[in-house]
Amino acid sequence: MAAFNKKNAEQLQATLQDAVVRCSERCLYQSAKWAAELSSSLNTPADLSNGSDTDPDSPMQDLEQSPPSVPTVVSSNPNPEEARLEAHEVQKYLLAKSYFDCREYDRCAAVFLPSNIARGPLLPTSPNVKTGTPTRAVKGKSRDSGHTKPTSTLPSRNTFPRLSQKALFLALYAKYMSGEKRKDEESEMILGPADAGTTINRELVGLGRGLEGWFAEQAAKGTHEDTQGWLEYLYGIVLAKGKTEEDAKRWLIRSVHRCPYNWGAWLELSELLGSVEELQQIVPELPQNIMTLIFHLYASQELYQSTVQTYQQLSELQRIFPESHFLKTQRALLHYHSKDFDEAESIFAALLHADPHRIDSLDHYSNILYVMSARPKLAFLAQFATATDKFRPETCCVVGNYYSLKSEHEKAVMYFRRALTLDRNFLSAWTLMGHEYVEMKNTHAAIESYRRAVDVNRKDYRAWYGLGQTYEVLEMHLYALFYYQRAASLRPYDPKMWQAVGSCYDKVGKPLQSIKAYKRALVAGSYYDSGSSFGSGATNVESTSGVLDPETLYQIALMHEKLKDIDQAASYMEMTLAQEEGPGDDEDDEARGPGTGVTNTTSKARMWLARWEFGRGGLARAMELANELCQDGVEVEEAKALIRDLRARMEAEKS
């Protein structure tokens, strides 16, 4: 990154502008928007030297200076055969694209393709990328039984007419969008009596077979290296929908090698990654360019990796794209995952001020304001988003969060349903609706909402944690334990996850495992309390200089008591008590850090220690602890009763 100079900046900007044109030609508008925003945020040293800050009509302009180059609005093709086909199809292409822009997808596809492509459900097998032989679908979120067998093992043949790759992609993508539109039309009301979440895109099977045959023909001709990457992208989407995720990864990786600036392919690839280990496995297979760095940053953020390396990557990218709203959003989300809510909120507020009509990621901003209980700001954001575009899923989630903060849970559910009506794959709405159903004590609807969230994105730890909470309410602790463990695996440095795991282990009668989980919670607490926004990644409890969580220490003590290890239990009770004063030297009160003060938990630990001392004959220490309880105002009646017993015991010993 240190070698990034004026020439590199100009080359990168030209490449991004070309990507905007190519994505727009193929009606990949979200990818085109992303590339255009990134291009406009590029820190180009030529901005001032070219006189771009001067009025074009100003007489101060140098008339002899050659005009700056204007990017093309129609892409060229270096392949002569493809260029000839595109020139021959230009009239049909313009007609088909106009139909697509008007959302007449079937008409768009019919311009280039016959309408006899098969429709039907996807089979649980899908062709291997290299051999073309069927491969079994991986275990995933599909609810099908998986007993359907392929009707034929013969290799597919190419059924498409001779077309340029651009025209073929547009036609097949229109088929795919037609199937998605029809799937939404056939879907039942959100969580209605007939909504099983099993409605499928009936165009997928025909698209999968057709693309398999097309790629097989290209391989037979020896022209498979001349493909442009767009059809590989579409094939990767089809395979991902059919749950053959490993094949989908390979085709998407092949796509980003051929057209690296198609952000949609990177997004699809990110959704197939379930862990940091999977991300590390595919990184060596990716192209070595700036898009891989952006992808690695985005995927790390999606996997909640708020590490020093992630922040360094982000800082390097922001030196190249200083005004990128996308990168600023990633920084805000990293702070959000690190529980640095104030910093995340300030970044989102600055983004809203810089681009007040931007709706993207406002649902995350509303989540931050909800956690901060910033009701006035959330009310303003809800009004602002509604005035901008009330029929965006993000807007509905913002309004739903506002009503949830007001404890109007029925209204909140109504808006989350509206968000899902607009986009059934909108993750935030499923998770937040599950939270609302938990508040409304509707456990069945909460479980179904969380399951749908996991179906959309299995990396959403909030949905896994919500499932654990709901099953815990139903007193199904083994189920709850499974879901809490999934949440903890996604958020290993969140003490809340490990506390829940420890609690479940206690309830199923496994105190040893419970102690291990609670100790992990202490380590996780040290990660956030280390004084760095990145976390220290501490690996032992003693490494933290902050206050340990008294409730976690108290639970560890109770587990040792269940194991009849009373000395260890007493040791942890003493540690619980020590958190009132904070860390530091007993002889130097000024050097002590802030403690928790007297809490219900520390008072219970003090009572336990008083009774323990009373039982083993430490009457003076027991009396001291009991008197402290009377002064604290917690557990007063029990403390007074203990004092009476202590006085009686002392008098009996004297006599």
Side-chain angles (χ1 to χ4, degrees):
M1 289 300 169
F4 195 82
N5 52 30
K6 175 182 176 181
K7 182 178 180 181
N8 298 138
E10 292 175 348
Q11 183 179 3
L12 179 58
Q13 189 164 55
T15 305
L16 285 169
Q17 290 170 349
D18 182 64
V20 174
V21 173
R22 291 181 183 276
C23 290
S24 298
E25 287 178 343
R26 291 158 179 83
C27 300
L28 300 173
Y29 297 122
Q30 291 298 325
S31 296
K33 181 183 80 169
W34 184 89
E37 289 180 346
L38 200 66
S39 174
S40 65
S41 69
L42 184 63
N43 188 16
T44 53
D47 284 346
L48 297 177
S49 61
N50 283 344
S52 59
D53 60 335
T54 307
D55 185 354
D57 297 328
S58 171
M60 299 300 293
Q61 287 279 8
D62 186 0
L63 298 179
E64 296 181 358
Q65 182 181 1
S66 60
S69 60
V70 179
T72 58
V73 294
V74 179
S75 64
S76 59
N77 199 313
N79 187 317
E81 181 65 18
E82 286 290 320
R84 186 184 64 80
L85 288 172
E86 288 179 12
H88 179 70
E89 299 160 352
V90 64
Q91 295 299 330
K92 284 187 174 183
Y93 165 77
L94 293 173
L95 177 64
K97 188 175 186 304
S98 65
Y99 287 151
F100 193 104
D101 293 341
C102 294
R103 296 174 60 87
E104 298 182 49
Y105 302 123
D106 287 324
R107 290 187 75 188
C108 172
V111 171
F112 290 111
L113 297 177
S115 57
N116 58 354
I117 294 182
R119 289 179 184 172
L122 272 177
L123 299 175
T125 57
S126 190
N128 185 280
V129 180
K130 296 180 179 179
T131 63
T133 57
T135 55
R136 188 173 300 276
V138 299
K139 291 182 180 179
K141 300 161 282 190
S142 175
R143 301 189 177 194
D144 297 334
S145 62
H147 295 300
T148 308
K149 295 183 179 180
T151 55
S152 174
T153 58
L154 295 175
S156 301
R157 61 184 183 85
N158 182 19
T159 58
F160 301 140
R162 182 173 174 77
L163 297 169
S164 68
Q165 293 182 41
K166 181 165 75 172
L168 182 59
F169 175 86
L170 182 62
L172 295 179
Y173 187 55
K175 279 283 184 184
Y176 170 77
M177 292 300 297
S178 173
E180 290 292 299
K181 181 182 177 184
R182 197 170 290 110
K183 182 183 77 171
D184 290 340
E185 292 168 352
E186 293 172 356
S187 298
E188 298 291 335
M189 182 182 69
I190 301 295
L191 292 188
D195 180 25
T198 55
T199 310
I200 60 170
N201 183 340
R202 298 185 178 276
E203 301 290 347
L204 292 179
V205 62
L207 291 172
R209 290 172 181 169
L211 284 168
E212 179 192 359
W214 189 86
F215 283 115
E217 183 179 273
Q218 298 302 309
K221 291 181 178 178
T223 57
H224 57 283
E225 295 297 332
D226 296 334
T227 55
Q228 301 166 5
W230 305 99
L231 290 169
E232 286 88 344
Y233 163 58
L234 183 58
Y235 195 28
I237 294 176
V238 172
L239 292 173
K241 295 282 186 182
K243 311 301 180 188
T244 54
E245 297 184 356
E246 290 304 317
D247 286 348
K249 285 180 190 177
R250 286 193 285 271
W251 282 100
L252 288 169
I253 290 172
R254 185 172 169 181
S255 172
V256 298
H257 272 279
R258 285 164 170 73
C259 52
Y261 291 90
N262 174 20
W263 181 239
W266 294 102
L267 283 180
E268 291 291 335
L269 187 58
S270 174
E271 290 179 6
L272 296 174
L273 302 177
S275 66
V276 181
E277 291 74 21
E278 291 182 26
L279 173 61
Q280 298 302 327
Q281 286 175 3
I282 69 164
V283 165
E285 303 176 34
L286 299 176
Q288 300 302 308
N289 56 31
I290 196 170
M291 288 300 295
T292 296
L293 189 61
I294 296 174
F295 165 74
H296 193 277
L297 166 69
Y298 175 79
S300 298
Q301 180 273 123
E302 287 288 297
L303 291 165
Y304 315 108
Q305 297 300 301
S306 301
T307 62
V308 176
Q309 180 186 3
T310 306
Y311 278 90
Q312 287 175 345
Q313 288 179 345
L314 179 56
S315 298
E316 289 177 1
L317 288 168
Q318 285 193 302
R319 282 196 288 271
I320 301 172
F321 305 101
E323 300 302 321
S324 171
H325 292 172
F326 169 78
L327 294 177
K328 290 179 180 179
T329 300
Q330 299 309 302
R331 183 175 288 277
L333 291 176
L334 286 170
H335 285 296
Y336 175 39
H337 298 328
S338 300
K339 299 188 177 182
D340 189 355
F341 301 123
D342 291 329
E343 184 64 24
E345 191 275 333
S346 66
I347 294 173
F348 271 118
L351 280 170
L352 188 64
H353 183 266
D355 190 353
H357 302 292
R358 184 176 185 265
I359 300 295
D360 299 342
S361 301
L362 281 191
D363 54 314
H364 297 298
Y365 186 22
S366 70
N367 290 340
I368 294 168
L369 295 176
Y370 180 92
V371 172
M372 298 174 68
S373 298
R375 184 169 164 180
K377 288 185 178 180
L378 188 53
F380 169 76
L381 185 65
Q383 284 186 322
F384 202 83
T386 302
T388 303
D389 189 347
K390 67 188 298 183
F391 294 110
R392 280 279 294 271
E394 294 90 342
T395 300
C396 296
C397 282
V398 172
V399 179
N401 268 333
Y402 169 69
Y403 281 117
S404 178
L405 193 59
K406 290 178 64 180
S407 297
E408 297 183 27
H409 302 299
E410 291 81 4
K411 281 189 176 180
V413 166
M414 180 183 73
Y415 276 95
F416 293 140
R417 281 176 176 267
R418 184 176 296 177
L420 292 166
T421 302
L422 294 167
D423 182 0
R424 280 181 174 259
N425 291 325
F426 197 71
L427 173 65
S428 291
W430 283 118
T431 305
L432 294 172
M433 190 163 69
H435 296 342
E436 297 308 304
Y437 279 127
V438 169
E439 294 293 332
M440 295 164 63
K441 303 296 189 291
N442 188 344
T443 54
H444 175 76
I447 288 172
E448 187 61 24
S449 298
Y450 289 134
R451 288 193 185 281
R452 296 290 186 87
V454 170
D455 286 347
V456 173
N457 183 358
R458 60 180 179 269
K459 299 188 290 287
D460 183 18
Y461 77 94
R462 298 171 303 167
W464 291 112
Y465 185 82
L467 281 168
Q469 278 187 312
T470 311
Y471 278 109
E472 197 169 17
V473 168
L474 296 173
E475 297 186 357
M476 302 173 69
H477 301 298
L478 284 174
Y479 282 86
L481 177 61
F482 170 78
Y483 293 118
Y484 281 143
Q485 286 174 328
R486 291 296 297 266
S489 68
L490 289 166
R491 292 275 288 179
Y493 292 112
D494 193 334
K496 186 179 178 182
M497 305 297 128
W498 292 109
Q499 288 165 357
V501 171
S503 174
C504 275
Y505 271 128
D506 177 26
K507 290 172 182 174
V508 299
K510 295 184 177 181
L512 275 176
Q513 286 84 348
S514 179
I515 290 171
K516 291 179 182 177
Y518 280 127
K519 286 183 177 179
R520 286 291 297 270
L522 292 176
V523 174
S526 73
Y527 178 86
Y528 286 117
D529 296 336
S530 60
S532 167
S533 61
F534 309 133
S536 64
T539 56
N540 55 72
V541 176
E542 292 77 8
S543 64
T544 176
S545 60
V547 178
L548 299 177
D549 181 38
E551 181 62 31
T552 305
L553 291 168
Y554 181 72
Q555 292 299 328
I556 294 175
L558 293 181
M559 292 303 102
H560 280 293
E561 185 181 22
K562 286 186 177 182
L563 293 170
K564 308 299 182 185
D565 189 355
I566 304 301
D567 290 338
Q568 275 292 94
S571 174
Y572 275 98
M573 288 295 181
E574 292 285 2
M575 289 176 65
T576 305
L577 213 57
Q579 305 313 306
E580 290 181 345
E581 303 295 332
D585 189 358
D586 292 337
E587 298 178 357
D588 187 2
D589 291 338
E590 294 182 358
R592 281 188 174 275
T596 63
V598 177
T599 65
N600 286 332
T601 301
T602 58
S603 295
K604 286 188 287 186
R606 185 174 277 109
M607 175 58 74
W608 189 96
L609 285 169
R611 287 173 175 163
W612 176 66
E613 292 286 359
F614 176 70
R616 71 174 191 158
L619 302 183
R621 170 72 169 151
M623 181 64 75
E624 178 188 350
L625 292 168
N627 285 327
E628 288 176 359
L629 279 168
C630 292
Q631 295 171 6
D632 294 341
V634 183
E635 307 275 355
V636 175
E637 294 303 321
E638 292 186 26
K640 288 180 178 179
L642 181 59
I643 289 173
R644 287 194 295 269
D645 293 341
L646 282 166
R647 285 174 179 169
R649 177 85 168 267
M650 288 176 179
E651 290 174 1
E653 288 184 357
K654 287 179 181 179
S655 62

